[in-house]
Amino acid sequence: MDHLISLYDLTLQEFEDIFSLSEKLKKQVKEGVQHHLLKGKTLGMIFTKSSTRTRVSFEVGMYQLGGYPLFLSANDIQLGRGESIDDTAQVLSRYVDGIMIRTFKQSDVEDLAKYGSVPVINGLTDLMHPCQILADLFTVYEHKGTLKGLKMAYVGDGNNIANSLLHGCAKVGMHISVASPKGFECDKNVVYEAREDAKRSGAQIVLTEDPVEAVTEADVIYTDTWVSMGQEAEKEQRIKTFMPYQVNQELFSKAKEDAIFLHCLPAYRGYEVTEDIIDGSQSVIFDEAENRMHVQKAIMALLMGKHTL
Ligand code: CP
Ligand code: NVA
């Protein structure tokens, strides 16, 4: 593993390595044990979109690993004024030991990795959000004790979260049903890749327009905003289209009795999910948000520290 750009690039072994190091680091940090695996290392963090969780969890995580995080808003660096990704990659590689980037185009993340010489971590693009889904699967594992053979139901927009969720579930052998309205399905190439991995892992992949079909007998129900960053102009239309896909008590009751609820956050109560569900006893959204940090620390240690278990 040289970069984290798409979950499809990772092996099952790499998923397992990330999860076991996450578990260890989480335990140690709660016991007050220091683990300066990246002492003296620097992470450049480029943001061309807003963030609360990704920024803070990477920044604090890097401090906890003994390294230094550098927040680089695209508004303030020359990238935002038209400097090329190629030059940015080569220049930053002379200063920092790793780059995390949140941006629009997946190809910009790929180009950073191609032209730079340090590990690149995808902190969200329009197409994918791999760090989020690693944290999500780790959270499911903590609550359910396993991943293989469970059923994940994702209801809503076939966006970056849904795409990476398809990749992640297919890799670990978790069945996944995605319910999204016509015209808002997951990326075709991602679906193809997930089906390839599913052949090996035994995961069943179901793509449907029917939210009830997706959530029936699910162990995990997941949704995300209907209006992702960059889609603000489509807000009114999207709300109308997605309203039948709201995760509410009626829909949730079709899942298994002990189903858990996930949301990458930020959430918009009353739209993609009702308050009673997201703030209810089966919601694990804050464990999920916390785990972003533990899992990303493991990712950074494995990529930038050449940490071996
Ligand atoms: N879930 C997530 O990536 O949140 P932020 O947009 O706050 O980073
Ligand atoms: N789909 C959302 C995820 C935010 C973490 C977006 O891209 O805005």
Side-chain angles (χ1 to χ4, degrees):
M1 185 166 100
D2 295 322
H3 305 282
L4 177 55
I5 295 177
S6 161
L7 291 182
Y8 186 61
D9 302 335
L10 268 57
T11 62
L12 179 59
Q13 186 60 53
E14 285 166 337
F15 269 59
E16 286 168 0
D17 291 348
I18 291 168
F19 294 151
S20 59
L21 185 55
S22 305
E23 200 171 358
K24 183 170 151 189
L25 295 178
K26 182 172 181 176
K27 188 165 176 281
Q28 284 182 345
V29 88
K30 290 195 187 286
E31 287 166 350
V33 177
Q34 283 197 344
H35 38 230
H36 286 170
L37 303 175
L38 294 180
K39 194 169 170 13
K41 304 259 179 176
T42 304
L43 177 76
M45 310 192 304
I46 304 174
F47 283 89
T48 71
K49 288 176 173 174
S50 308
S51 171
T52 298
R53 279 143 290 269
T54 305
R55 176 178 175 180
V56 178
S57 57
F58 267 105
E59 208 162 310
V60 175
M62 194 59 184
Y63 277 121
Q64 291 183 2
L65 289 169
Y68 182 74
L70 204 59
F71 175 69
L72 304 167
S73 162
N75 295 331
D76 303 327
I77 60 173
Q78 300 288 6
L79 187 67
R81 296 182 59 247
E83 186 168 14
S84 71
I85 281 279
D86 322 11
D87 286 355
T88 304
Q90 294 184 68
V91 170
L92 289 182
S93 295
R94 302 286 179 112
Y95 302 135
V96 300
D97 302 289
I99 302 171
M100 194 285 299
I101 178 166
R102 162 167 289 197
T103 193
F104 294 86
K105 285 159 62 187
Q106 180 77 7
S107 60
D108 283 350
V109 183
E110 289 162 1
D111 285 346
L112 257 190
K114 182 172 163 196
Y115 295 104
S117 52
V118 296
V120 169
I121 301 172
N122 181 352
L124 178 145
T125 63
D126 289 348
L127 189 67
M128 294 176 193
H129 198 358
C131 294
Q132 176 72 53
I133 272 51
L134 285 168
D136 299 337
L137 293 176
F138 181 69
T139 307
V140 174
Y141 181 76
E142 282 186 330
H143 283 270
K144 298 282 178 194
T146 185
L147 293 174
K148 202 172 166 66
L150 294 182
K151 178 179 174 183
M152 166 77 73
Y154 176 91
V155 181
D157 192 11
N159 60 13
N160 41 14
I161 294 292
N163 288 332
S164 286
L165 207 54
L166 272 175
H167 272 155
C169 289
K171 192 76 73 180
V172 301
M174 193 169 171
H175 308 312
I176 174 165
S177 295
V178 176
S180 44
K182 223 179 171 45
F184 298 90
E185 297 92 350
C186 288
D187 178 81
K188 282 195 171 58
N189 188 49
V190 168
V191 172
Y192 172 81
E193 290 173 344
R195 290 203 192 282
E196 286 299 297
D197 268 346
K199 281 183 205 160
R200 286 183 282 272
S201 71
Q204 291 161 15
I205 296 177
V206 174
L207 307 175
T208 174
E209 281 177 50
D210 179 4
V212 174
E213 182 192 347
V215 304
T216 298
E217 287 299 298
D219 298 281
V220 186
I221 297 191
Y222 198 134
T223 190
D224 181 22
T225 181
W226 296 335
V227 187
S228 285
M229 289 179 276
Q231 299 171 337
E232 291 75 10
E234 302 164 29
K235 186 174 170 187
E236 295 312 316
Q237 188 50 49
R238 282 178 163 268
I239 289 172
K240 283 194 196 120
T241 307
F242 284 102
M243 215 56 205
Y245 291 80
Q246 182 184 66
V247 177
N248 50 32
Q249 188 52 51
E250 195 192 334
L251 190 65
F252 203 85
S253 69
K254 311 277 192 272
K256 284 197 184 141
E257 219 170 295
D258 62 350
I260 54 172
F261 175 76
L262 294 183
H263 191 309
C264 60
L265 305 178
Y268 300 91
R269 288 166 174 76
Y271 292 97
E272 73 270 15
V273 60
T274 51
E275 218 173 280
D276 53 344
I277 297 298
I278 193 166
D279 299 322
S281 59
Q282 283 162 273
S283 171
V284 298
I285 54 168
F286 297 118
D287 291 343
E288 183 186 5
E290 178 188 332
N291 282 335
R292 290 292 302 282
M293 184 173 77
H294 305 301
V295 167
Q296 287 159 193
K297 282 170 70 182
I299 294 166
M300 289 190 284
L302 290 164
L303 283 176
M304 295 165 63
K306 296 293 167 213
H307 178 86
T308 46
L309 292 165

